[in-house]
Amino acid sequence: MRNHTRTRQALTVISTLTALTSATTIATGVGFMWAPWAYSAAWLLLISSLAYVIPQTDTVIALATGLARRLSHAARHAHDWLAALANRRQSPARVVRSTTRMGAGR
């Protein structure tokens, strides 16, 4: 991903999202009855977006891999933070067991 500029990455992300959105619009199929011009525009957007995204497949893969690594790191960090928070709340000094007869039923 070092060889890809920020502009190219941004255009790749925009084109990928546009291709997914237009493909979803086309896949629903009801758009042609309500607005034929929007259905035609969705086809044109899909074709033009795929024309840009397909040669940039390496950039898409690099961005997806980087995103997955960041999400994995964030999830691990959140898990560690929550575990530390839970350990701090349940310290052994705060656990009190009753040895009297009245407290045993609680």
Side-chain angles (χ1 to χ4, degrees), residues 17-105:
L17 292 175
T18 303
L20 290 172
T21 304
S22 59
T24 304
T25 302
I26 293 167
T28 57
V30 295
F32 185 73
M33 290 187 288
W34 292 339
W37 58 270
Y39 195 70
S40 300
W43 272 106
L44 290 173
L45 281 171
L46 178 65
I47 292 167
S48 62
S49 296
L50 288 177
Y52 185 80
V53 169
I54 289 173
Q56 299 292 330
T57 304
D58 61 334
T59 306
V60 173
I61 292 171
L63 287 171
T65 304
L67 181 65
R69 284 182 183 158
R70 286 184 182 176
L71 287 175
S72 172
H73 178 72
R76 205 174 315 121
H77 182 69
H79 180 267
D80 293 343
W81 184 76
L82 289 172
L85 186 65
N87 286 337
R88 186 176 54 170
R89 283 190 183 169
Q90 308 250 344
S91 67
R94 289 189 177 186
V95 177
V96 178
R97 291 194 177 139
S98 177
T99 55
T100 63
R101 228 175 140 187
M102 294 193 66

